[in-house]
Amino acid sequence: MAFEGLTEKLSNAFKKLRGKGRLSENDVKEAMKEIRMALLEADVNFKVVKQFIASVTERAVGADVLESLTPAQMILKIVNEELTALMGGESTKLVISPKPPTVVMLVGLNGAGKTTNAAKLASFMKKHNSKRPLLVACDTFRPAAITQLEVVGGQVDVPVFQMGQGDPIDIARAGIAHAKKHGNDMVFLDTAGRLHVDEALMDQLREMKAAVEPDEILLIVDAMIGQDAVNAAKTFDEALDLTGVMLTKLDGDARGGAALSIKAVTGKPIKFVGVGEKLDQVEVFHPDRMASRILGMGDMISLIEKAQQNFDMQKAAELEQKLRKNRFTLSDFYDQLVQVKGMGSLSDLAGMIPGVNPKALEGAAVDEGALARTEAIILSMTPQERDNPALLNNSRKKRIAAGSGTQVVDINRLLKQFDLMQQMTKQLSGGKLKRMAKKGRMGKLPGFPF
C-alpha cells in the first residue's frame, strides 16, 4: 500500500508530540529529526527532505505555534500544508486544445506501462470528460506493442490507429489526421521506450515532438523504482520539456519517495496516478488529498467520489424504496456485492477514512471466487425464485446447483447470508429507516446496504 511505512513513522512522531501538551523548541526539533529520517527511509530525495524540514521547522518554532493550546495539532497542520506544497499544491488537469484534437504524447522507459496506461488515460477521459479518444500505435521498437495496444484499446472500447512497423513520426502524423477526419477530439500517442535512457530514444522523441507539436507530453514512470523514477523524470524533462507525469504502481510502493520528490526536483506536476492493474484504476493526482492520507488523516472526498462512480444512483433510489417496504431480494443482494467489489480492496478504502488503520484490513477484499459462485447461483434461479427464496425446496436447489456448477451446500450458505441481510433490512425498515433518512444518514454511500 502506498506510503505505508511513511504514514506509520509520521504517526508515531506526532503521537509523541501530542503526549507532551505544551511544546518547547527542542521538542519540535526532536520531532523534525524523526520526520527527516522517515522521509529519507521513504526514499525521498535528500535535498527535498532538507528543504522540507527547514520550512516546517521555521514555521513550527514560531510563538503562535508553541504558545497555542494545541501545538501538536498546529504542527500537524503545518506538515500537511508543506507536504501539499511539496507535491504541487493543487491538482493539475490535462491541457485541452481549443482546436481538436488534443494531442497527448506518452513517453517513458520500457516496463513503466506506457501502453496499458495509454488505454487507462483514454478510458478515463472518455468516461469522466466525455471525450472521444483515439490511441495511436507509435511504438514500432518493442515486439507486440501494437497488438498489446489493440487488446487494451478493445477492452476499454477506444479505437486504435496503427500502420504496422512503419516510421513512428509518419504514424503519429497520420493518426492525428485520422482523428480529425473521424471526429476524435483526443489523441494519445504510445511511443517507444528503452530499457535505459539513450540518445537514439531521445532523438526520436524530439523529432516526433517537433513534427506533431503535442499539447501534452506526459512521462509514464514506475513509482516503485523510487529515486530512479525521479532521475528518469529529470532526464526526460531536460530533453523534451515535459508538461506532467503519471506515476504507475503507486498502490505497490510502500515508500512513496517518487511522489514526494518529482515535483520538487523537476518542477513538473504529477497529473495522474495508477492505483492498480485494472484498466479503470487510474486517478487524478490531488496533492492535498494525498498529504492527508500520508498523515493518516483520511481522504473522505476521494472515498465519496469513488462511491459515486461505482454505485448506480437510480438503483440506489429503488433500493431505498425496497428497504422501506422490506422487499430486499436476491437480485438486490447480488447488485450490492458487485458495486462494492468495484470500489477496490477494503484496505485501500480504509486508508481514506480518518482514524481507521488500513493495516487492520490489509489484503482484505471481496472474494472474487465467492462472488462468481454467487452470481452463477443467482443467475441460475428463475425470477420467481430470486424474489421469493422460500420456493427453494431440495429439487430446485439441485437444479440450480447443476446449472451453476456448484453444490447444494453453496446454495444453502448463500441463502443463510441472504437471510441475515433480510433481518438487517427488517430492523432498518419503518420508523428507524425514516429517521436515518431524515438525519441525512441515507445515501452517503448510495445503494450500500451493509
Side-chain angles (χ1 to χ4, degrees):
M1 188 178 64
F3 304 106
E4 181 181 333
L6 179 58
T7 298
E8 190 173 344
K9 289 181 173 67
L10 292 178
S11 295
N12 289 337
F14 286 113
K15 192 174 182 181
K16 289 179 184 177
L17 285 179
R18 283 193 293 270
K20 288 180 178 289
R22 289 298 181 97
L23 301 180
S24 67
E25 193 168 320
N26 282 336
D27 291 331
V28 173
K29 288 182 177 177
E30 281 298 314
M32 290 306 114
K33 282 182 184 178
E34 289 194 39
I35 292 173
R36 176 178 176 274
M37 286 305 300
L39 291 169
L40 290 173
E41 288 175 16
D43 204 20
V44 181
N45 179 277
F46 174 75
K47 291 181 181 178
V48 173
V49 173
K50 186 177 179 182
Q51 181 57 51
F52 177 82
I53 294 298
S55 299
V56 173
T57 303
E58 184 181 352
R59 293 180 61 188
V61 297
D64 57 330
V65 173
L66 295 181
E67 293 174 10
S68 70
L69 293 174
T70 55
Q73 289 180 12
M74 291 285 284
I75 293 172
L76 179 62
K77 179 175 180 287
I78 290 168
V79 172
N80 185 30
E81 290 171 355
E82 291 292 333
L83 272 178
T84 300
L86 184 65
M87 292 186 285
E90 55 186 29
S91 59
T92 308
K93 296 180 179 179
L94 287 181
V95 172
I96 302 298
S97 173
K99 294 182 179 179
T102 297
V103 178
V104 181
M105 184 172 158
L106 304 178
V107 301
L109 300 175
N110 278 351
K114 284 192 308 300
T115 302
T116 302
N117 284 286
K120 282 188 176 185
L121 290 172
S123 175
F124 181 92
M125 296 305 292
K126 178 182 177 181
K127 183 177 179 181
H128 299 287
N129 296 76
S130 301
K131 297 296 180 183
R132 298 187 67 245
L134 175 71
L135 293 164
V136 179
C138 300
D139 183 357
T140 58
F141 180 82
R142 181 170 62 90
I146 296 171
T147 303
Q148 184 188 354
L149 189 66
E150 289 179 325
V151 169
V152 291
Q155 289 173 347
V156 295
D157 195 25
V158 172
V160 175
F161 179 86
Q162 61 101 350
M163 291 169 54
Q165 304 294 322
D167 179 76
I169 295 169
D170 290 342
I171 295 170
R173 285 198 188 102
I176 294 168
H178 179 90
K180 289 178 180 177
K181 185 177 179 181
H182 292 85
N184 299 105
D185 52 9
M186 286 200 85
V187 173
F188 289 90
L189 305 178
D190 179 30
T191 68
R194 299 287 190 278
L195 293 175
H196 56 84
V197 176
D198 62 17
E199 272 309 304
L201 167 66
M202 290 306 180
D203 285 344
Q204 185 186 89
L205 295 176
R206 286 190 195 100
E207 288 175 26
M208 185 177 292
K209 177 186 175 182
V212 303
E213 298 180 345
D215 301 285
E216 289 271 2
I217 304 177
L218 285 186
L219 173 70
I220 310 296
V221 65
D222 185 340
M224 293 182 70
I225 63 175
Q227 283 308 295
D228 285 340
V230 181
N231 295 334
K234 192 173 181 181
T235 304
F236 273 93
D237 185 48
E238 287 169 353
L240 298 168
D241 189 20
L242 301 172
T243 60
V245 174
M246 176 178 178
L247 276 180
T248 68
K249 304 177 189 174
L250 190 64
D251 58 310
D253 179 24
R255 294 176 300 175
L260 289 167
S261 304
I262 281 180
K263 177 65 167 69
V265 172
T266 67
K268 300 303 163 72
I270 300 171
K271 295 195 174 185
F272 292 94
V273 288
V275 292
E277 295 180 1
K278 295 179 181 177
L279 293 174
D280 61 348
Q281 290 181 311
V282 58
E283 296 176 359
V284 173
F285 184 73
H286 297 278
D288 53 343
R289 301 185 194 180
M290 192 59 70
S292 291
R293 290 171 73 173
I294 291 170
L295 294 171
M297 296 161 63
D299 180 8
M300 288 303 294
I301 296 174
S302 292
L303 180 61
I304 291 166
E305 287 179 353
K306 190 179 283 283
Q308 288 174 335
Q309 289 166 16
N310 285 280
F311 285 97
D312 186 313
M313 299 305 289
Q314 184 177 346
K315 284 186 178 179
E318 291 172 1
L319 179 64
E320 185 177 340
Q321 291 302 313
K322 288 183 177 183
L323 286 172
R324 290 179 188 276
K325 296 174 182 177
N326 193 23
R327 291 192 62 237
F328 186 71
T329 69
L330 274 165
S331 297
D332 300 321
F333 179 65
Y334 172 68
D335 283 344
Q336 301 313 298
L337 288 179
V338 171
Q339 293 187 73
V340 171
K341 175 177 173 281
M343 291 183 68
S345 76
L346 297 181
S347 58
D348 287 344
L349 298 180
M352 298 181 185
I353 303 172
V356 174
N357 178 13
K359 286 189 77 173
L361 291 171
E362 191 170 0
V366 176
D367 184 336
E368 294 197 20
L371 183 61
R373 286 192 296 275
T374 300
E375 178 180 20
I377 291 169
I378 293 175
L379 294 180
S380 295
M381 296 178 184
T382 66
Q384 291 81 8
E385 288 168 342
R386 289 177 215 161
D387 285 341
N388 184 14
L391 295 173
L392 295 175
N393 55 26
N394 246 3
S395 63
R396 287 177 185 251
K397 287 178 183 177
K398 287 178 181 177
R399 187 202 81 237
I400 293 165
S404 59
T406 60
Q407 298 178 6
V408 171
V409 66
D410 295 316
I411 297 169
N412 288 334
R413 187 182 299 116
L414 170 61
L415 293 175
K416 187 174 181 180
Q417 292 172 341
F418 177 67
D419 187 53
L420 289 172
M421 185 68 65
Q422 278 198 315
Q423 289 177 32
M424 288 176 62
T425 61
K426 283 178 183 176
Q427 291 173 9
L428 288 174
S429 62
K432 189 173 181 181
L433 189 67
K434 290 176 183 177
R435 287 195 298 275
M436 289 177 69
K438 191 174 182 180
K439 291 179 180 178
R441 294 178 190 166
M442 295 291 292
K444 294 294 184 185
L445 294 177
F448 191 72
F450 314 109

